mmCIF file of all heavy atoms in Angstrom:
data_model
loop_
_atom_site.group_PDB
_atom_site.id
_atom_site.type_symbol
_atom_site.label_atom_id
_atom_site.label_comp_id
_atom_site.label_asym_id
_atom_site.label_seq_id
_atom_site.Cartn_x
_atom_site.Cartn_y
_atom_site.Cartn_z
ATOM 1 N N LEU A 470 -21.502 54.764 -1.366
ATOM 2 C CA LEU A 470 -21.815 53.418 -1.638
ATOM 3 C C LEU A 470 -20.558 52.630 -1.324
ATOM 4 O O LEU A 470 -20.691 51.442 -0.839
ATOM 5 C CB LEU A 470 -22.086 53.321 -3.220
ATOM 6 C CG LEU A 470 -23.472 53.846 -3.556
ATOM 7 C CD1 LEU A 470 -23.670 53.775 -5.058
ATOM 8 C CD2 LEU A 470 -24.667 53.213 -2.834
ATOM 9 N N VAL A 471 -19.403 53.072 -1.674
ATOM 10 C CA VAL A 471 -18.186 52.271 -1.304
ATOM 11 C C VAL A 471 -18.068 52.182 0.189
ATOM 12 O O VAL A 471 -17.687 51.089 0.641
ATOM 13 C CB VAL A 471 -16.932 52.963 -1.949
ATOM 14 C CG1 VAL A 471 -15.647 52.284 -1.378
ATOM 15 C CG2 VAL A 471 -16.953 52.841 -3.438
ATOM 16 N N ALA A 472 -18.261 53.293 0.942
ATOM 17 C CA ALA A 472 -18.239 53.186 2.410
ATOM 18 C C ALA A 472 -19.341 52.162 2.966
ATOM 19 O O ALA A 472 -19.080 51.392 3.912
ATOM 20 C CB ALA A 472 -18.519 54.588 2.960
ATOM 21 N N LEU A 473 -20.504 52.126 2.284
ATOM 22 C CA LEU A 473 -21.470 51.123 2.642
ATOM 23 C C LEU A 473 -21.057 49.774 2.446
ATOM 24 O O LEU A 473 -21.206 48.828 3.289
ATOM 25 C CB LEU A 473 -22.791 51.425 1.892
ATOM 26 C CG LEU A 473 -23.962 50.502 2.094
ATOM 27 C CD1 LEU A 473 -24.375 50.368 3.544
ATOM 28 C CD2 LEU A 473 -25.125 50.728 1.163
ATOM 29 N N LEU A 474 -20.409 49.508 1.390
ATOM 30 C CA LEU A 474 -19.931 48.126 1.075
ATOM 31 C C LEU A 474 -18.774 47.758 1.939
ATOM 32 O O LEU A 474 -18.723 46.579 2.387
ATOM 33 C CB LEU A 474 -19.342 48.187 -0.419
ATOM 34 C CG LEU A 474 -20.518 48.196 -1.572
ATOM 35 C CD1 LEU A 474 -19.893 48.264 -2.919
ATOM 36 C CD2 LEU A 474 -21.466 47.009 -1.452
ATOM 37 N N VAL A 475 -17.926 48.698 2.321
ATOM 38 C CA VAL A 475 -16.871 48.419 3.278
ATOM 39 C C VAL A 475 -17.519 48.027 4.637
ATOM 40 O O VAL A 475 -17.095 47.072 5.279
ATOM 41 C CB VAL A 475 -15.888 49.613 3.432
ATOM 42 C CG1 VAL A 475 -14.962 49.441 4.608
ATOM 43 C CG2 VAL A 475 -15.104 49.781 2.166
ATOM 44 N N GLY A 476 -18.530 48.809 5.004
ATOM 45 C CA GLY A 476 -19.198 48.531 6.315
ATOM 46 C C GLY A 476 -19.862 47.121 6.316
ATOM 47 O O GLY A 476 -19.791 46.361 7.271
ATOM 48 N N LEU A 477 -20.507 46.834 5.192
ATOM 49 C CA LEU A 477 -21.129 45.470 5.020
ATOM 50 C C LEU A 477 -20.089 44.396 5.091
ATOM 51 O O LEU A 477 -20.312 43.279 5.776
ATOM 52 C CB LEU A 477 -21.988 45.352 3.730
ATOM 53 C CG LEU A 477 -23.175 46.239 3.658
ATOM 54 C CD1 LEU A 477 -23.811 46.167 2.243
ATOM 55 C CD2 LEU A 477 -24.224 45.738 4.719
ATOM 56 N N ALA A 478 -18.958 44.554 4.433
ATOM 57 C CA ALA A 478 -17.956 43.644 4.516
ATOM 58 C C ALA A 478 -17.431 43.413 5.963
ATOM 59 O O ALA A 478 -17.195 42.254 6.423
ATOM 60 C CB ALA A 478 -16.762 43.891 3.589
ATOM 61 N N MET A 479 -17.293 44.520 6.647
ATOM 62 C CA MET A 479 -16.873 44.455 8.098
ATOM 63 C C MET A 479 -17.906 43.719 8.912
ATOM 64 O O MET A 479 -17.494 42.955 9.796
ATOM 65 C CB MET A 479 -16.708 45.836 8.604
ATOM 66 C CG MET A 479 -15.387 46.575 8.034
ATOM 67 S SD MET A 479 -13.950 45.646 8.604
ATOM 68 C CE MET A 479 -14.165 45.612 10.312
ATOM 69 N N TRP A 480 -19.124 44.001 8.738
ATOM 70 C CA TRP A 480 -20.184 43.329 9.530
ATOM 71 C C TRP A 480 -20.249 41.853 9.282
ATOM 72 O O TRP A 480 -20.314 41.047 10.075
ATOM 73 C CB TRP A 480 -21.518 43.938 9.135
ATOM 74 C CG TRP A 480 -22.653 43.226 9.908
ATOM 75 C CD1 TRP A 480 -23.129 43.561 11.095
ATOM 76 C CD2 TRP A 480 -23.429 42.127 9.474
ATOM 77 N NE1 TRP A 480 -24.153 42.750 11.453
ATOM 78 C CE2 TRP A 480 -24.368 41.847 10.449
ATOM 79 C CE3 TRP A 480 -23.492 41.447 8.265
ATOM 80 C CZ2 TRP A 480 -25.348 40.850 10.355
ATOM 81 C CZ3 TRP A 480 -24.432 40.413 8.107
ATOM 82 C CH2 TRP A 480 -25.327 40.161 9.100
ATOM 83 N N ALA A 481 -20.021 41.464 7.985
ATOM 84 C CA ALA A 481 -19.989 40.051 7.584
ATOM 85 C C ALA A 481 -18.767 39.360 8.109
ATOM 86 O O ALA A 481 -18.893 38.179 8.568
ATOM 87 C CB ALA A 481 -20.079 39.878 6.066
ATOM 88 N N LEU A 482 -17.598 39.970 8.163
ATOM 89 C CA LEU A 482 -16.411 39.443 8.624
ATOM 90 C C LEU A 482 -16.300 39.340 10.149
ATOM 91 O O LEU A 482 -15.703 38.331 10.716
ATOM 92 C CB LEU A 482 -15.169 40.181 7.979
ATOM 93 C CG LEU A 482 -14.957 39.922 6.516
ATOM 94 C CD1 LEU A 482 -13.964 40.974 6.031
ATOM 95 C CD2 LEU A 482 -14.477 38.497 6.295
ATOM 96 N N ARG A 483 -16.793 40.312 10.814
ATOM 97 C CA ARG A 483 -16.548 40.405 12.251
ATOM 98 C C ARG A 483 -17.922 40.388 13.022
ATOM 99 O O ARG A 483 -17.868 40.149 14.244
ATOM 100 C CB ARG A 483 -15.844 41.644 12.586
ATOM 101 C CG ARG A 483 -14.528 41.719 11.831
ATOM 102 C CD ARG A 483 -13.694 42.971 12.375
ATOM 103 N NE ARG A 483 -13.253 42.834 13.716
ATOM 104 C CZ ARG A 483 -12.634 43.878 14.363
ATOM 105 N NH1 ARG A 483 -12.238 44.895 13.713
ATOM 106 N NH2 ARG A 483 -12.236 43.684 15.608
ATOM 107 N N GLY A 484 -19.055 40.668 12.440
ATOM 108 C CA GLY A 484 -20.290 40.837 13.143
ATOM 109 C C GLY A 484 -20.851 39.575 13.663
ATOM 110 O O GLY A 484 -21.553 39.458 14.685
ATOM 111 N N ARG A 485 -20.563 38.388 13.017
ATOM 112 C CA ARG A 485 -21.067 37.119 13.387
ATOM 113 C C ARG A 485 -20.660 36.790 14.812
ATOM 114 O O ARG A 485 -21.363 36.186 15.545
ATOM 115 C CB ARG A 485 -20.659 36.047 12.429
ATOM 116 C CG ARG A 485 -21.286 36.105 11.012
ATOM 117 C CD ARG A 485 -21.223 34.762 10.401
ATOM 118 N NE ARG A 485 -19.859 34.218 10.488
ATOM 119 C CZ ARG A 485 -18.959 34.215 9.513
ATOM 120 N NH1 ARG A 485 -19.321 34.730 8.374
ATOM 121 N NH2 ARG A 485 -17.813 33.727 9.746
ATOM 122 N N ARG A 486 -19.411 37.101 15.149
ATOM 123 C CA ARG A 486 -18.925 36.757 16.423
ATOM 124 C C ARG A 486 -19.737 37.506 17.528
ATOM 125 O O ARG A 486 -20.051 36.902 18.616
ATOM 126 C CB ARG A 486 -17.459 37.143 16.544
ATOM 127 C CG ARG A 486 -16.793 36.608 17.795
ATOM 128 C CD ARG A 486 -15.382 37.004 17.883
ATOM 129 N NE ARG A 486 -14.719 36.448 19.038
ATOM 130 C CZ ARG A 486 -13.443 36.734 19.373
ATOM 131 N NH1 ARG A 486 -12.724 37.595 18.701
ATOM 132 N NH2 ARG A 486 -12.857 36.207 20.451
ATOM 133 N N ARG A 487 -20.157 38.619 17.234
ATOM 134 C CA ARG A 487 -20.973 39.428 18.135
ATOM 135 C C ARG A 487 -22.362 38.724 18.387
ATOM 136 O O ARG A 487 -22.882 38.878 19.493
ATOM 137 C CB ARG A 487 -21.162 40.846 17.629
ATOM 138 C CG ARG A 487 -21.525 41.924 18.604
ATOM 139 C CD ARG A 487 -21.514 43.306 17.971
ATOM 140 N NE ARG A 487 -20.183 43.611 17.406
ATOM 141 C CZ ARG A 487 -20.020 43.921 16.152
ATOM 142 N NH1 ARG A 487 -21.008 44.018 15.391
ATOM 143 N NH2 ARG A 487 -18.777 44.295 15.679
ATOM 144 N N PHE A 488 -22.843 38.082 17.407
ATOM 145 C CA PHE A 488 -24.162 37.480 17.512
ATOM 146 C C PHE A 488 -24.053 35.998 17.893
ATOM 147 O O PHE A 488 -25.066 35.273 17.907
ATOM 148 C CB PHE A 488 -24.962 37.621 16.237
ATOM 149 C CG PHE A 488 -25.342 39.052 15.953
ATOM 150 C CD1 PHE A 488 -24.633 39.817 15.121
ATOM 151 C CD2 PHE A 488 -26.435 39.628 16.699
ATOM 152 C CE1 PHE A 488 -24.949 41.138 14.913
ATOM 153 C CE2 PHE A 488 -26.728 40.984 16.424
ATOM 154 C CZ PHE A 488 -26.115 41.687 15.574
ATOM 155 N N GLY A 489 -22.831 35.544 18.138
ATOM 156 C CA GLY A 489 -22.613 34.128 18.609
ATOM 157 C C GLY A 489 -22.906 33.081 17.618
ATOM 158 O O GLY A 489 -23.236 31.924 17.865
ATOM 159 N N GLU A 490 -22.735 33.383 16.240
ATOM 160 C CA GLU A 490 -22.919 32.382 15.268
ATOM 161 C C GLU A 490 -21.732 31.352 15.317
ATOM 162 O O GLU A 490 -20.561 31.660 15.606
ATOM 163 C CB GLU A 490 -22.892 33.002 13.879
ATOM 164 C CG GLU A 490 -24.169 33.816 13.630
ATOM 165 C CD GLU A 490 -24.300 34.220 12.250
ATOM 166 O OE1 GLU A 490 -23.606 33.637 11.321
ATOM 167 O OE2 GLU A 490 -25.071 35.170 11.932
ATOM 168 N N PRO A 491 -21.967 30.122 15.042
ATOM 169 C CA PRO A 491 -20.979 29.061 15.149
ATOM 170 C C PRO A 491 -19.966 29.282 14.096
ATOM 171 O O PRO A 491 -20.212 29.696 12.899
ATOM 172 C CB PRO A 491 -21.707 27.760 14.974
ATOM 173 C CG PRO A 491 -22.981 28.146 14.267
ATOM 174 C CD PRO A 491 -23.348 29.534 14.707
ATOM 175 N N GLY A 492 -18.710 28.900 14.355
ATOM 176 C CA GLY A 492 -17.638 28.961 13.313
ATOM 177 C C GLY A 492 -17.014 30.269 13.162
ATOM 178 O O GLY A 492 -16.090 30.421 12.415
ATOM 179 N N SER A 493 -17.530 31.308 13.859
ATOM 180 C CA SER A 493 -16.898 32.639 13.605
ATOM 181 C C SER A 493 -15.809 32.887 14.587
ATOM 182 O O SER A 493 -15.868 32.583 15.731
ATOM 183 C CB SER A 493 -17.948 33.695 13.731
ATOM 184 O OG SER A 493 -18.509 33.737 15.026
ATOM 185 N N GLY A 494 -14.738 33.457 14.151
ATOM 186 C CA GLY A 494 -13.614 33.744 15.021
ATOM 187 C C GLY A 494 -13.176 35.193 14.805
ATOM 188 O O GLY A 494 -13.989 36.004 14.504
ATOM 189 N N ALA A 495 -11.947 35.390 15.089
ATOM 190 C CA ALA A 495 -11.355 36.714 14.967
ATOM 191 C C ALA A 495 -11.356 37.169 13.545
ATOM 192 O O ALA A 495 -11.411 36.348 12.611
ATOM 193 C CB ALA A 495 -9.897 36.800 15.442
ATOM 194 N N GLY A 496 -11.214 38.526 13.319
ATOM 195 C CA GLY A 496 -11.372 39.077 11.940
ATOM 196 C C GLY A 496 -10.306 38.445 11.024
ATOM 197 O O GLY A 496 -10.626 38.111 9.896
ATOM 198 N N VAL A 497 -9.062 38.280 11.502
ATOM 199 C CA VAL A 497 -8.019 37.848 10.676
ATOM 200 C C VAL A 497 -8.308 36.415 10.270
ATOM 201 O O VAL A 497 -8.048 35.979 9.116
ATOM 202 C CB VAL A 497 -6.713 37.965 11.375
ATOM 203 C CG1 VAL A 497 -5.484 37.308 10.593
ATOM 204 C CG2 VAL A 497 -6.294 39.459 11.676
ATOM 205 N N GLN A 498 -8.788 35.637 11.167
ATOM 206 C CA GLN A 498 -9.106 34.266 10.815
ATOM 207 C C GLN A 498 -10.220 34.141 9.749
ATOM 208 O O GLN A 498 -10.263 33.255 8.992
ATOM 209 C CB GLN A 498 -9.482 33.456 12.044
ATOM 210 C CG GLN A 498 -8.296 33.310 13.017
ATOM 211 C CD GLN A 498 -8.782 32.659 14.343
ATOM 212 O OE1 GLN A 498 -9.963 32.623 14.644
ATOM 213 N NE2 GLN A 498 -7.791 32.132 15.094
ATOM 214 N N GLU A 499 -11.241 35.015 9.878
ATOM 215 C CA GLU A 499 -12.325 35.055 8.937
ATOM 216 C C GLU A 499 -11.920 35.412 7.514
ATOM 217 O O GLU A 499 -12.478 34.997 6.506
ATOM 218 C CB GLU A 499 -13.432 35.964 9.383
ATOM 219 C CG GLU A 499 -14.105 35.599 10.682
ATOM 220 C CD GLU A 499 -15.004 34.425 10.473
ATOM 221 O OE1 GLU A 499 -15.179 34.007 9.399
ATOM 222 O OE2 GLU A 499 -15.393 33.837 11.499
ATOM 223 N N LEU A 500 -10.866 36.278 7.329
ATOM 224 C CA LEU A 500 -10.393 36.752 6.131
ATOM 225 C C LEU A 500 -9.398 35.792 5.451
ATOM 226 O O LEU A 500 -8.211 35.962 5.521
ATOM 227 C CB LEU A 500 -9.857 38.147 6.245
ATOM 228 C CG LEU A 500 -9.723 38.914 4.898
ATOM 229 C CD1 LEU A 500 -11.109 39.097 4.207
ATOM 230 C CD2 LEU A 500 -9.081 40.335 5.235
ATOM 231 N N THR A 501 -9.925 34.698 4.859
ATOM 232 C CA THR A 501 -9.098 33.772 4.145
ATOM 233 C C THR A 501 -8.461 34.272 2.933
ATOM 234 O O THR A 501 -8.849 35.403 2.456
ATOM 235 C CB THR A 501 -9.972 32.496 3.840
ATOM 236 O OG1 THR A 501 -11.050 32.911 2.958
ATOM 237 C CG2 THR A 501 -10.517 31.814 5.020
ATOM 238 N N ASP A 502 -7.530 33.579 2.396
ATOM 239 C CA ASP A 502 -6.824 34.062 1.235
ATOM 240 C C ASP A 502 -7.758 34.426 0.026
ATOM 241 O O ASP A 502 -7.587 35.346 -0.699
ATOM 242 C CB ASP A 502 -5.704 33.062 0.837
ATOM 243 C CG ASP A 502 -4.553 33.064 1.776
ATOM 244 O OD1 ASP A 502 -4.588 33.957 2.621
ATOM 245 O OD2 ASP A 502 -3.637 32.276 1.636
#
Side-chain angles (χ1 to χ4, degrees):
L470 290 175
V471 170
L473 175 62
L474 290 174
V475 169
L477 289 174
M479 286 299 305
W480 179 85
L482 287 167
R483 302 183 68 181
R485 287 201 314 257
R486 188 180 186 185
R487 202 173 298 125
F488 292 101
E490 290 189 18
S493 62
V497 173
Q498 294 175 341
E499 294 289 347
L500 198 57
T501 60
D502 286 353

